[in-house]
Structure formats: C-alpha cells, structure tokens
Amino acid sequence: MNPAKSESVAEQTARPAKPESVAEQTARPAKPESVAEQTAAASESGSPKPFSVGPGAASGLEPGLAEPPSLATHGVARRVTRAGDVAGTDPAIESGRGVSVETAIKRGEYDYNAHPDRAAEAVRLMEQTEQTEKASAKEVGFMRAHGLALKRAWNDARKTHGIGSEQSQEAKSNYFDWQTRYTRAVLPIFHEIGQTLHAEVELETGNIIELESLWDEAVGRPPTPGQKRQMEAKGQANERAAAQTDAARKKVLEKAPGDKKPPVDAVAQARKALAGFKPGQKMTTEQVRALWNAAKRGYLDKLTNDFDDVRHGLATDLGIPVRDVTEGLTQPKALRAVTDEMYRRMAEQRRLISQSKAWVRDQATPGWLRFARSVPKAFFAAKIFGHGTVGMITHAGLNIFNPGAWKSYWPKFFRQYHLIFSAAAHERMMQDLERDPLSVMFRRAGLQADPFKHTDSYDVPEMVKWFGKIGASGQRGFDALKLFRDARAKQIWNSSPESLRPSGNTREAIEARGRYAQVIANAVNHATGAVNANAPELLNWTFFAPKLEGSRWAWMIKDPWEAAKTFANWRMASPEARQGAMAELKQKAAIAGTYYGLLNLNQGILQLQGSQQQVNTTNPKRSDFMAFKVDGHDLGIVSPMLGMVRLFANVAHAAIDKRSKFESLTSRYGEESETAGNYVRGKLSPFAAFGVDVASQSDMFGKPLPFSSDKVPKNVRERGEGRYSYPEYLSETFLPIPAEAAIKEVWSNQGIPENDQNRYLNALLTGAVEGGTGARLSSSQKVKPNK
C-alpha cells in the first residue's frame, strides 16, 4: 500500500503545495488575450454575448444560487452540477456533449491517490493547462480527483468543526476556488477530453448501439423480438437522419464564399473589416468575404464543420451579436436555401432521436399502465390541437398590459407565427438560446426556457407522436414563450443596478449573481404561465394544465405576499429581495392601471359609436366581468386571471355582504362551497371533466346531457338553451378549444337567428380569434346595463 494513503484525505489536501493558497492561485489571470478570457469577461459584465466551443473559447458559465449544502456527489455531469449548483455545493458548470468513460475517471482518482505529492502535482497540471490550453484525459482526471479531495476535506471540516465554523468556510472556499479554476481551464478544450468530464450518456445519433445502451439503463431486461425490430428500425432511421444532417452541413461549407486558402491572419483581418459594423446593419460583400475567411481559417481547418460552432465562435472572436454573424454568413442568396435545409435536417434528426428515447423509456412501463396514461393524454391532446399560436396570450397575456414588457413581448408575439411555418428558423433560434451565456445563467436559476425540453403544460411530446408534422409545428410556435422568457429576463437584468449583478468570478460575486437571477427567473416564470415545480402525474390527469394554473396563483397570491413580507422587514431584507419587491409593486400597479384605463377607453368608444354595450366593471357574477366589448362580442384576454378575481369577489360576497331573498334560500357556506366547487370543476382536465359530466348527467352550468331525464334548469332556459343533443355535446367535448368555441357559438350563444349566415360568420370569427391568438371571444349576453 502506498504510504501516502495512510493520511486522511483532509490531511493530504490540507498540505500546502506552494506558499500561495488555492484561492490565490485561482485569482492569477490565465493566458492573456485568449478567447476564453474575452468570453468570461463578457459573461461577467452581463453582456448577452454568445460563446463558442471553437479554439480557446470559454463556456460562458454563470452559476446559480447557493442554498444549504449537500455533499453527496462530485463531478461536472449535468445531473450532478445542476443539483450541486442549486444546493450550493458546487460552482455551476455548463456541461457539453459527449460520452463519459468511467474508467478514465477511475484512472484519474487512482493516479491521484498514488502520487506522493498529489496536491502540488494537481496545481502544476493546472498551471500547465492554463498556459497551453491543452490537457490529456489522464491529466484532467488527476485534476478532477483533486477537486474530489477538496470536497471531501470540506465535508470532513463540517463534521469535525461544524457547518458554520471557520475551518468549514475555509475548506469550502478552497473547493469553490479550485472548481472554478478547473472549469474555466478545462471546458474550452472539452471536445478533446470530454470523456473524462461526463458521467452521463446522452444520445448523439440515436443509432442501434446507443439505443441498446439506453434500453439496458431504462428497461433492464432483454427486449422481445418485436421490440428488437422496432429498436433497429428506429436506430436506422436516426442514422439516416444523421447522415442527411452531415451532408447538409457539408453542402453549406462547399458553397461558402471566401478564399480557398484564407490568410493566416484572417481573423484579425475580419476584425479590421468589421471595425465600424453596427448591430442590425447589412454587411458589405467585402465584410462577408472577410467573415467567411475567418470562419475557414479559425474554425473549419482546425476543429469543426458544425455551422453553429462556427457562428458562435465568430461572434465571440469578433465581438458582434451572433444574429448578425448568422445574417452575414447566410447573406449570399446561394447559401440561404442550403442553410435553411441544414437546420431543417437538424430539427428532424433531433425530433427522431427524442422520439426514440421516449419510446425506449416507455417500454419500461407495463402495457396496461401505458394504456391508462394514454387515455387522459388523448383527451388533452385533442383539446389543445392547433395550440401553437395561443401561448403568448393564454400563458403570457398579462404582459400585454405591462408597458415595461412590451419591448420583449411584441417581437416574440409575432415571431411565434414564423416559428410555426419555419422549422429551420426554429432550430436556429433554439441553438442560439442554448448557447447564450446569460441564457445559461437564467436557466440554472430556474427560468423555464430550456430550448430542447418540454417545460409548459401545453408542451406535450405526444402532439408530435400522434399528429406528426402538424403537431411539431404547433410545438414550435409554443416555443415563442421560451424566447420571450429569456428576452424578458435579460431586459430586467440589463436595466438593474450593477450592484445586484457584480462582475468577477469570486465566490461572493457568483453567489450574488445567482441570487438575483433566481429572483428574476421566478418573477418571469409566474408572469408567463410557468412554475419550477413538476405536477404529480395524477394531478395532470385530473386538472387542465396544473402548472399554468399554479403560475396564476403564484402571480396573484404568492408574489404579492412575498413582496409584502419584504416591505414589512425592509431593513433586514437582502438587496435582491428589495429589488424584487419594488419590481413586484411596479409591475402590478402598471398592469392594473393599464388594464383599467383601456376598459374606460373601450367604454368611451362604445358610447361614441352609439352602442348599447356596457363594459361590466361592477358585477363579478356575470361572465363578462372586466371583459372588453367589440361589435356585440366579449373579448377576454386574461379571462382565467379574471376568473380568479370573480372567485374571490363571489366568496367574499357570500361571506360578508347582504344577500338577496333568492340567495338567502341557500346558506352562506353552501353558496361559498358552490362557488369554489364550480371554479374547481372549470379547471378539470378534459378527461376528468367528461367523467364528472357523465356522473352528474350535466355540464358544470347544469345543462343536462342528452341521455339525462333531468329538467332543464331555469338559468339554462333563460339563455334560450335546452338540453344537449349528442352532436352538440360530443363536438364541444372532443374538438380542439378553438373549434369548441365556434361550435358553442353556433349551438348556444346565438340561438336561432333569422339570418343563418351571420350565425356562421360569428362562429368562424370566434374560432379564428381563439385559435390564432388565444384570446377568448364570445357573443355578449343580453343583460341590463350597469347602474
């Protein structure tokens, strides 16, 4: 046994390698003028510049929030770093792509434990890596093992001296400093030694070998002959898609302009050619040529033929936005078509791999359970079919009434239509969202804007599986929400005091940025229909979009309550909490003022037109409460939020107000229970609502189902309606929401007018508005004007 092993890990690590502390070693600047240094500086300043995986480029890492620590894991695999980032046990590290090699990790730990002066050797290797920007997998494994030893030393210090002890804080600082230094040195050359970094397999091409590996991990039993054939078919399809994507990439590079043999100083020449370039302007022919020469000399002849790597690397090297780089690279007409084709191929490859992974994991579930799950999902998918254009109102409609959000909101509102019709544009935008350093920071802080993951209640993977390209186009349109969340978070960040987003890579600056980023992420999530918590499966079966409903309650109740607590304890509150509380107050005041002002403007226009319609701002019992009025219709933009206001108002009325003789026939508790019950019933999922309708033989408004022998209630008769017919009920139950609204307009709200043409035109208008925007349009009920 090596004598060095007789010491504890804490003692080994505590032995100084040099007179400098690890923190001092980390503080020493890396190689000057490197792209890594430039990118890190951009990240520190909060500038939303993209990063590259090209030569010498940094990861653009931005850590998250520190919380009470858990020291159970160590490493930079995504699942480890995200958990450690949130727990505060690791500096945040953005993982790349690659396949982990467990033996390489074990070899690094073995070499480290066997070395007689391990800490000094780790520091020597770190200095060498920083100077040369190169390292072998073996060297990276050795440095990684030193980080593990520092983490164990921190754990030992906590156990021996206590969590808040000076020894524990020093050990924690040593570990954080080393991991930050390690990450910045290693990740820029991740493609060369990535196997040592990862401890998690992610499918690259989805070939049969990778699918079999995923099968072993997810299912754990041999596949049946039928499952084996399906797996082989999926693997072959994925390989064909990968080959087509590579061919499309090569075609782009073949058609690229520029010199066949670009000059050695092509990157410097490009900087000179673009010295006066302003973001948003069109590049000249000479600038485009210089840009492509820089791409060929700096990237294509050294590292990669991945067009996204080239775009983001050039953006970092030249200091111009990645969007302008993209426009310049694709400016020649001959390239526009082939780059669009490349992105379409990339999107199709990603879609096939995602479906393959989902299929493999699905096979671990018993067949009866898969069927049971598919039934409520089928109800839900049918109801939200064609939903791709509604997200910006159904989820983020409140921002229409927040002038401060308009700069971010309206461009993304109109971009959703572009995303629907262009798979290439969607893929390019999602790639940009994935790589932007500031976007990475906000995703770590909890912002629901992961470009390649399902994050919203309407974002249902089965839509693509069941409805093919039509379902995929709807999913793409819904991703406008992710773009808006990202843009809105950056807008708030860049307009905030610099004291809340300090530059630098010290532990204090990292944690401060993370805390404030989380405040922004939570606020943006709640204002755009998202929460960080995942709803249990049974809740998804029972309620319609529970995460969306949760965000509304968080926006309406939780956020104001947290702000009120901050105001009440202002002197003791953190700077981030104070900023968040003030932003909360301003946001709510702006939305309430703008909304009420527009309602008054709406009423004034109606009066000028001589309309008999009256905007209802006083009677929450009516369905048109606080709705806009347009040409005989009620227009609801934030109807679900107003539904909550109606709920509170009606419960308060039942509890404390003077009641009419008719209301007095029911106890106050009974009226409160009925009000709350109707609200909950209105939030049921299509599957659960169908079950409750059948069990009660009526819908939530008391209208009897076709097979019911119950009498038609008075309130239904007063609307000019009778019991459901089978076509009416089935169409409203199983058709998508926009079609349901149109059918209801025909069957119910319009009654039987003399001119059938007007009836069907109203139905088409209702369906078009709801399907195209998510706003709710219905015919105004004939009621007495407000007094």
Side-chain angles (χ1 to χ4, degrees):
M1 179 179 294
N2 194 300
K5 294 186 179 180
S6 60
E7 299 178 314
S8 69
V9 178
E11 291 170 338
Q12 299 163 11
T13 308
R15 186 192 323 116
K18 288 187 175 184
E20 298 174 282
S21 67
V22 178
E24 291 171 348
Q25 298 159 11
T26 306
R28 186 189 312 113
K31 187 178 179 179
E33 301 300 327
S34 69
V35 179
E37 186 178 13
Q38 299 166 14
T39 308
S43 175
E44 293 167 11
S45 67
S47 174
K49 291 183 179 179
F51 71 95
S52 163
V53 292
S59 68
L61 67 97
E62 275 288 352
L65 178 68
E67 293 291 345
S70 169
L71 303 178
T73 57
H74 167 78
V76 286
R78 181 170 301 185
R79 67 172 184 266
V80 175
T81 57
R82 286 186 175 177
D85 181 20
V86 172
T89 63
D90 292 273
I93 301 169
E94 175 65 6
S95 64
R97 299 175 65 193
V99 179
S100 65
V101 179
E102 203 64 33
T103 55
I105 295 173
K106 291 180 179 178
R107 182 180 65 182
E109 294 176 0
Y110 176 83
D111 291 344
Y112 181 82
N113 290 328
H115 199 284
D117 199 5
R118 63 205 70 173
E121 178 64 9
V123 172
R124 185 191 70 79
L125 291 174
M126 177 63 70
E127 292 173 344
Q128 174 183 294
T129 301
E130 290 170 338
Q131 292 169 3
T132 64
E133 296 185 351
K134 294 180 180 179
S136 68
K138 184 175 182 179
E139 292 166 342
V140 171
F142 195 99
M143 290 184 287
R144 180 188 186 278
H146 183 60
L148 177 60
L150 288 171
K151 192 165 195 176
R152 287 172 176 162
W154 176 21
N155 201 11
D156 290 344
R158 291 172 70 249
K159 292 177 180 178
T160 305
H161 303 287
I163 294 177
S165 66
E166 181 180 345
Q167 293 87 343
S168 174
Q169 293 301 315
E170 182 180 359
K172 178 182 178 180
S173 178
N174 288 340
Y175 172 67
F176 266 67
D177 291 342
W178 177 263
Q179 282 298 93
T180 300
R181 189 179 180 187
Y182 170 71
T183 302
R184 293 188 63 184
V186 169
L187 281 186
I189 48 175
F190 175 75
H191 276 62
E192 298 178 31
I193 42 86
Q195 286 88 344
T196 313
L197 292 172
H198 261 304
E200 183 172 34
V201 175
E202 293 187 4
L203 295 182
E204 297 293 335
T205 62
N207 60 38
I208 182 61
I209 296 175
E210 291 170 342
L211 289 178
E212 286 178 342
S213 298
L214 181 60
W215 180 282
D216 291 339
E217 176 186 338
V219 182
R221 54 175 168 75
T224 66
Q227 290 170 331
K228 181 72 171 178
R229 286 192 296 270
Q230 290 186 68
M231 198 186 311
E232 290 174 349
K234 293 179 184 297
Q236 292 169 1
N238 292 342
E239 287 183 333
R240 286 194 298 270
Q244 291 170 346
T245 300
D246 287 341
R249 283 197 182 103
K250 291 177 181 178
K251 193 171 183 179
V252 170
L253 301 176
E254 289 170 0
K255 290 186 174 292
D259 301 331
K260 290 186 177 179
K261 293 184 177 180
V264 176
D265 61 342
V267 175
Q269 289 189 17
R271 287 197 187 100
K272 185 177 180 181
L274 292 162
F277 180 81
K278 295 181 179 179
Q281 75 181 44
K282 185 176 181 180
M283 291 185 186
T284 65
T285 303
E286 291 74 16
Q287 287 174 329
V288 171
R289 189 175 189 85
L291 189 65
W292 268 109
N293 279 340
K296 291 179 178 180
R297 172 59 69 177
Y299 293 88
L300 303 179
D301 62 345
K302 293 181 179 180
L303 179 68
T304 179
N305 67 349
D306 190 311
F307 190 67
D308 282 308
D309 291 346
V310 175
R311 291 189 306 123
H312 288 269
L314 286 173
T316 300
D317 284 336
L318 304 178
I320 60 178
V322 68
R323 184 172 184 176
D324 291 309
V325 171
T326 304
E327 289 297 319
L329 292 175
T330 60
Q331 195 164 297
K333 292 183 179 179
L335 277 179
R336 182 73 65 174
V338 293
T339 52
D340 283 351
E341 176 63 18
M342 176 192 67
Y343 278 112
R344 281 194 291 270
R345 293 295 183 185
M346 291 170 65
E348 178 65 10
Q349 181 187 2
R350 189 184 302 280
R351 183 182 71 83
L352 290 174
I353 292 176
S354 178
Q355 286 185 344
S356 300
K357 293 166 68 175
W359 176 83
V360 170
R361 293 190 174 106
D362 199 40
Q363 300 308 300
T365 305
W368 66 268
L369 183 54
R370 290 203 301 272
F371 175 77
R373 286 172 171 170
S374 69
V375 174
K377 286 181 179 179
F379 272 77
F380 186 73
K383 187 59 64 177
I384 65 170
F385 179 75
H387 72 291
T389 56
V390 308
M392 291 297 289
I393 285 185
T394 59
H395 286 56
L398 285 165
N399 295 276
I400 293 175
F401 307 102
N402 183 3
W406 290 350
K407 181 180 179 181
S408 301
Y409 183 84
W410 289 112
K412 301 306 181 288
F413 180 90
F414 292 107
R415 186 160 292 170
Q416 65 184 326
Y417 302 102
H418 189 200
L419 295 174
I420 287 173
F421 295 109
S422 176
H426 174 268
E427 180 71 17
R428 184 171 62 248
M429 292 178 195
M430 293 301 106
Q431 290 285 352
D432 292 344
L433 187 61
E434 183 179 41
R435 294 165 180 259
D436 190 308
L438 207 52
S439 301
V440 172
M441 179 192 72
F442 279 116
R443 290 201 299 275
R444 285 206 184 97
L447 188 69
Q448 296 295 294
D450 195 313
F452 300 117
K453 287 191 176 181
H454 301 284
T455 57
D456 291 283
S457 299
Y458 286 16
D459 198 5
V460 182
E462 284 76 17
M463 293 296 294
V464 180
K465 177 181 177 181
W466 292 339
F467 299 109
K469 291 184 177 180
I470 296 177
S473 66
Q475 298 292 80
R476 293 198 302 269
F478 211 76
D479 280 344
L481 271 174
K482 298 175 182 177
L483 296 176
F484 171 55
R485 288 179 188 133
D486 180 74
R488 180 65 177 141
K490 291 174 182 175
Q491 180 188 2
I492 297 172
W493 176 269
N494 291 324
S495 63
S496 300
E498 291 187 5
S499 59
L500 294 171
R501 44 190 181 95
S503 60
N505 278 334
T506 64
R507 179 163 52 88
E508 291 75 14
I510 288 171
E511 292 178 349
R513 288 197 297 269
R515 286 193 300 269
Y516 187 49
Q518 189 176 58
V519 170
I520 294 175
N522 285 336
V524 172
N525 282 341
H526 297 166
T528 57
V531 290
N532 286 325
N534 290 321
E537 186 174 11
L538 182 59
L539 203 62
N540 284 313
W541 290 14
T542 306
F543 293 99
F544 192 98
K547 291 178 69 174
L548 174 59
E549 182 68 11
S551 74
R552 291 166 179 161
W553 283 86
W555 190 89
M556 184 72 78
I557 305 297
K558 181 178 181 295
D559 293 349
W561 175 250
E562 293 294 334
K565 290 196 299 183
T566 299
F567 283 120
N569 192 30
W570 187 260
R571 293 183 61 184
M572 301 298 294
S574 67
E576 298 83 15
R578 292 181 183 180
Q579 183 74 9
M582 290 300 299
E584 175 69 14
L585 180 63
K586 293 177 182 178
Q587 179 198 59
K588 294 294 193 293
I591 290 175
T594 303
Y595 192 91
Y596 193 72
L598 289 175
L599 283 179
N600 287 326
L601 178 62
N602 187 192
Q603 183 62 63
I605 293 174
L606 291 173
Q607 290 176 350
L608 288 174
Q609 293 175 339
S611 173
Q612 296 300 311
Q613 285 185 285
Q614 295 284 322
V615 174
N616 173 19
T617 60
T618 59
N619 187 355
K621 287 187 172 295
R622 279 171 31 196
S623 61
D624 66 345
F625 178 63
M626 301 289 284
F628 294 94
K629 303 283 185 174
V630 182
D631 191 28
H633 291 81
D634 300 335
L635 179 63
I637 297 177
V638 288
S639 298
M641 198 65 70
L642 295 178
M644 294 176 61
V645 176
R646 292 173 60 201
L647 169 67
F648 301 144
N650 290 328
V651 169
H653 168 74
I656 61 177
D657 279 359
K658 183 178 180 180
R659 301 195 299 164
S660 66
K661 291 182 179 181
F662 176 77
E663 291 173 336
S664 298
L665 297 176
T666 307
S667 68
R668 290 183 183 273
Y669 176 76
E671 187 177 349
E672 292 167 0
S673 299
E674 182 180 2
T675 299
N678 286 338
Y679 181 85
V680 172
R681 186 167 177 180
K683 302 300 178 181
L684 292 178
S685 70
F687 172 70
F690 176 71
V692 173
D693 286 354
V694 172
S696 63
Q697 299 189 26
S698 66
D699 69 4
M700 63 176 295
F701 302 106
K703 185 174 179 178
L705 267 57
F707 58 82
S708 175
S709 60
D710 296 345
K711 293 182 178 180
V712 178
K714 181 180 178 181
N715 66 308
V716 176
R717 295 198 307 270
E718 288 177 346
R719 296 200 306 264
E721 301 177 32
R723 70 181 62 256
Y724 278 107
S725 66
Y726 278 103
E728 180 186 4
Y729 181 72
L730 293 176
S731 62
E732 289 189 16
T733 301
F734 296 104
L735 287 180
I737 292 173
E740 174 196 346
I743 290 294
K744 187 173 291 185
E745 184 75 12
V746 172
W747 286 103
S748 303
N749 296 338
Q750 290 295 327
I752 309 177
E754 294 180 2
N755 190 341
D756 285 345
Q757 183 178 3
N758 289 336
R759 176 173 57 167
Y760 291 111
L761 285 175
N762 273 317
L764 286 173
L765 177 62
T766 298
V769 169
E770 293 209 20
T773 66
R776 297 186 180 181
L777 187 70
S778 60
S779 292
S780 293
Q781 301 297 314
K782 295 181 180 180
V783 296
K784 295 180 181 180
N786 290 336
K787 295 182 179 180

